């Protein structure tokens, strides 16, 4: 069974993205590099306003797209904090519906996790909410709504939260790319008619048709010969598993989901990122001045250029000392006590071509027809949607192993709140990666065993980050006792 991945161009638009040369250079210092520190020391909230706006997602001459944005920009402002510092953000809701902010991947104080009905009341239109928390880990994180996220994220609400190491590396340029696939109509506007379509909800989710990097149709990043860059990538698509290729040799992977990994070179510059996942790469631009290196996306079956690095024709960087390319470890609880672990099975069922006949929903057994009638298509351990009782309760400090079983014909990006975990096994075989993740992609019919130390008290979500799957039932929660 092949996954339906519509191509990334809208019908009727020209394929200007396909690999060709000849665009003019744009300026240095593109949007996301080195913003001033977002958070004042004197505990004043940084306002972050969610509201309707417009974004120029398409090439010049095309209409602007009516969106929902944070502070009127797409992607939302990059918030920066130092590791261990307090973040203090006042969300102001100017949207026509309630919202919250979830700080994806932050091992956060539970009350600040932004999950309506579980950790806070949703913030009504015209109201505000103060998010105030410390950030224990340095790395690449992001924020997005957790109320009707399938609609709010699709309309453009998301941004990065970058937590800097206590001593940021010298001589390495920091740059971030937020990738999103929008579903636009021929008029360049968000396809609203398809919000809530069971066709998406029971299949791959809402797959867009227009790919942007940092809200731009073709992102150009000017670089200089011999420069080093830490490139932070984040997939904010509702459902598309991005398959990116950076067509430059020698790219190192240095972190996943905000947590450092043993550096390793990407094969052919290729990286696959599920919705919600991040990767930090290290690139040494050692080719000749005037070179270019395309950033392409291939999940649609075509090689689509979404951005490119363009070397300055003459300028070179001189390093007076070798930049330190090692990221320090974060203070994660890495002592897994597998012998005494709480062992949990998490069975995912449902979706098109699946075999889900019935599931519990709100305390009642429902057959698949009434589930679909209620906008549900997926279950976890036989239950569609949230339950009164948590999936499991762990004592503080207990190691938990979860056997994730994807008994469906679709990939799922399973995200755990408040914790990072290790993937121990895939399909019964030891997993190669030593990474600590907050989101793990399971291909159809795949299994994975993960483990983490339940060291963060509170009520935490587990859900698929294909946002339509989450909304259509693939969601649950667990408790860590105080
Ligand atoms: Cu990025 Cu529960 O979400
Ligand atoms: Cu899913």
């Amino acid at each position: 069974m092949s996954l339906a991945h519509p191509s990334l161009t809208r019908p009727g638009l020209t394929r200007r993205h396909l690999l060709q040369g000849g665009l003019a250079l744009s300026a240095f210092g593109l949007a996301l590099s080195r913003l001033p520190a977002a958070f004042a020391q004197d505990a004043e909230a940084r306002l972050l306003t969610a509201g309707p706006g417009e974004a120029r997602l398409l090439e010049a001459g095309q209409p602007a797209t009516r969106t929902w944005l944070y502070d009127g920009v797409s992607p939302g402002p990059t918030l920066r904090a130092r590791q261990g510092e307090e973040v203090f953000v006042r969300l102001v809701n100017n949207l026509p519906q309630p919202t919250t902010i979830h700080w994806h991947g932050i091992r956060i104080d539970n009350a600040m996790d932004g999950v309506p009905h579980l950790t806070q009341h949703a913030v009504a239109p015209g109201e505000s909410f103060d998010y105030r928390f410390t950030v224990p880990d340095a790395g690449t994180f992001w924020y997005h709504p957790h109320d009707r996220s399938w609609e709010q994220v699709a309309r453009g609400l998301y941004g990065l939260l970058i937590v800097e190491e206590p001593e940021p590396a010298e001589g390495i340029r920091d740059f971030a790319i937020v990738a999103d696939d929008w579903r636009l109509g021929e008029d360049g506007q968000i396809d609203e008619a398809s919000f809530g379509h069971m066709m998406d909800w029971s299949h791959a989710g809402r797959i867009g048709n227009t790919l942007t990097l940092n809200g731009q149709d073709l992102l150009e990043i000017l670089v200089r010969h011999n420069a080093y860059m830490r490139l932070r990538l984040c997939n904010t698509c509702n459902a598309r598993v991005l398959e990116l290729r950076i067509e430059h040799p020698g790219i190192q992977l240095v972190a996943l989901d905000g947590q450092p990994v043993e550096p390793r070179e990407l094969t052919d510059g290729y990286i696959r990122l599920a919705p919600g996942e991040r990767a930090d790469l290290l690139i040494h631009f050692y080719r000749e001045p005037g070179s270019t290196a395309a950033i392409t996306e291939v999940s649609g079956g075509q090689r689509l250029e979404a951005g490119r690095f363009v070397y300055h024709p003459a300028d070179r960087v001189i390093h007076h000392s070798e930049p330190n390319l090692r990221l320090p470890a974060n203070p994660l609880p890495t002592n897994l006590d597998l012998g005494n672990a709480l062992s949990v099975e998490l069975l995912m069922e449902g979706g098109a071509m699946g075999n889900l006949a019935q599931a519990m929903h709100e305390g009642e057994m429902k057959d698949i027809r009434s589930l679909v009638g209620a906008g549900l298509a997926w279950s976890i351990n036989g239950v569609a949607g949230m339950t009164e009782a948590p999936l499991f309760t762990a004592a503080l400090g207990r190691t938990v192993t979860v056997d994730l079983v994807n008994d469906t014909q679709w990939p799922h990006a399973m995200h755990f709140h408040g914790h990072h975990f290790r993937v121990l096994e895939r399909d019964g075989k030891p997993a190669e990666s030593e990474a600590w993740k907050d989101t793990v992609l399971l291909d159809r019919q795949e299994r994975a065993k993960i483990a983490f130390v339940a060291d963060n008290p509170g009520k935490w979500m587990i859900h698929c980050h294909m946002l339509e799957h989450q909304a259509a039932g693939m969601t649950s929660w667990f408790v860590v006792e105080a």
Side-chain angles (χ1 to χ4, degrees):
M1 242 145 301
S2 71
L3 299 181
H5 272 312
S7 102
L8 280 165
T9 25
R10 290 177 309 290
L13 287 184
T14 52
R15 308 257 323 137
R16 76 229 165 267
H17 293 162
L18 286 173
L19 287 174
Q20 275 149 26
L23 281 179
L25 298 186
S26 56
F28 259 111
L30 281 147
L32 289 175
S33 58
R34 289 283 147 197
L35 293 178
F39 309 105
Q41 299 301 331
D42 56 359
E44 256 191 57
R46 186 219 195 271
L47 293 186
L48 191 64
T49 304
E54 278 196 345
R56 295 229 148 255
L57 304 174
L58 304 173
E59 69 269 42
Q62 296 284 330
T65 304
R66 289 184 300 278
T67 51
W68 291 357
L69 302 172
Y70 291 114
D71 289 359
V73 291
S74 173
T78 296
L79 307 179
R80 280 185 178 266
R82 278 280 165 98
Q83 184 172 17
E85 242 179 32
E86 184 179 71
V87 171
F88 186 9
V89 170
R90 178 164 302 153
L91 165 66
V92 179
N93 182 8
N94 284 344
L95 300 170
Q97 56 180 239
T99 192
T100 62
I101 295 182
H102 170 60
W103 309 91
H104 183 122
I106 301 289
R107 297 185 300 119
I108 202 169
D109 173 2
N110 188 242
M112 298 290 117
D113 199 38
V115 180
H117 315 300
L118 201 64
T119 68
Q120 69 168 96
H121 294 292
V123 186
E127 306 273 282
S128 67
F129 187 90
D130 285 357
Y131 289 99
R132 202 163 179 170
F133 52 91
T134 53
V135 283
D137 301 329
T140 306
F141 303 94
W142 67 298
Y143 60 94
H144 62 79
H146 221 287
D147 200 8
R148 286 174 74 87
S149 54
W150 51 274
E151 174 182 359
Q152 296 188 6
V153 172
R155 288 186 184 273
L157 287 168
Y158 47 75
L160 291 181
L161 170 56
I162 290 178
V163 182
E164 292 174 349
E165 289 76 23
E167 287 156 43
E170 303 259 324
I172 302 178
R173 179 173 167 203
D174 201 299
F175 193 84
I177 294 182
V178 176
D180 191 12
D181 69 339
W182 307 73
R183 190 183 287 183
L184 303 181
E186 301 224 7
D187 57 355
Q189 301 307 317
I190 289 174
D191 177 354
E192 297 178 334
S194 65
F195 276 131
H197 261 196
M198 274 319 271
M199 185 63 180
D200 293 327
W201 288 36
S202 64
H203 289 67
R206 183 182 178 90
I207 301 287
N209 55 18
T210 305
L211 181 66
T212 59
L213 303 183
N214 294 349
Q216 293 179 44
D217 133 88
L218 183 61
L219 177 68
E220 284 210 326
I221 308 152
L222 195 57
V223 298
R224 288 178 292 171
H225 171 79
N226 200 29
Y228 285 86
M229 177 182 283
R230 175 176 182 176
L231 178 63
R232 305 168 187 264
L233 297 175
C234 179
N235 180 353
T236 67
C237 297
N238 276 42
R240 180 181 295 272
V241 178
L242 288 169
E243 297 188 53
L244 296 169
R245 266 198 69 199
I246 301 172
E247 299 182 1
H248 193 286
I251 297 175
Q252 300 281 321
L253 175 71
V254 296
L256 286 171
D257 289 358
Q259 305 296 349
V261 298
E262 191 54 40
R264 67 174 170 81
E265 192 169 322
L266 296 183
T267 309
D268 294 331
Y270 172 87
I271 184 145
R272 189 172 180 226
L273 272 190
E277 286 187 319
R278 289 87 64 216
D280 289 37
L281 308 176
L282 189 82
I283 310 177
H284 181 205
F285 292 100
Y286 61 78
R287 289 161 73 192
E288 286 311 301
S291 307
T292 60
I295 305 171
T296 58
E297 209 286 336
V298 297
S299 72
Q302 285 161 305
R303 188 157 154 268
L304 184 74
E305 185 174 22
R308 62 173 67 140
F309 293 102
V310 180
Y311 280 62
H312 191 280
D315 280 6
R316 297 162 183 268
V317 176
I318 294 156
H319 296 282
H320 298 291
S321 56
E322 254 321 284
N324 173 19
L325 312 177
R326 284 268 163 188
L327 295 175
N330 281 318
L332 287 171
T334 54
N335 276 330
L336 296 171
D337 182 4
L338 295 174
N340 295 303
L342 173 68
S343 153
V344 177
E345 191 189 66
L346 192 156
L347 173 65
M348 297 126 81
E349 293 177 292
M353 296 165 284
N355 44 21
L356 187 70
Q358 53 177 28
M360 293 292 287
H361 177 58
E362 292 177 347
E364 271 179 61
M365 187 58 82
K366 301 212 168 127
D367 65 14
I368 188 70
R369 283 191 49 209
S370 37
L371 288 172
V372 168
L376 297 162
W378 309 92
S379 67
I380 288 177
N381 292 5
V383 182
M386 290 293 274
T387 44
E388 284 284 299
L391 190 68
F392 61 89
T393 297
L396 189 66
R398 182 100 190 257
T399 296
V400 179
T401 61
V402 184
D403 282 286
L404 298 153
V405 179
N406 178 7
D407 189 13
T408 81
Q409 299 302 324
W410 304 89
H412 301 288
M414 296 306 284
H415 172 48
F416 285 61
H417 283 208
H419 297 79
H420 277 71
F421 52 80
R422 269 196 67 174
V423 181
L424 301 178
E425 293 174 10
R426 282 190 181 267
D427 283 335
K429 292 185 221 69
E432 299 125 44
S433 169
E434 80 304 346
W436 289 88
K437 301 274 295 158
D438 59 51
T439 305
V440 59
L441 180 64
L442 287 106
D443 282 316
R444 62 196 174 98
Q445 296 296 335
E446 194 182 14
R447 296 166 172 251
K449 186 199 272 294
I450 66 163
F452 63 94
V453 179
D455 73 333
N456 197 354
K459 301 171 176 180
W460 304 106
M461 297 282 290
I462 306 173
H463 62 87
C464 180
H465 223 287
M466 277 77 170
L467 299 174
E468 291 67 32
H469 295 176
Q470 176 191 1
M474 195 172 279
T475 181
S476 192
W477 62 293
F478 67 100
V479 169
V480 178
E481 287 171 344

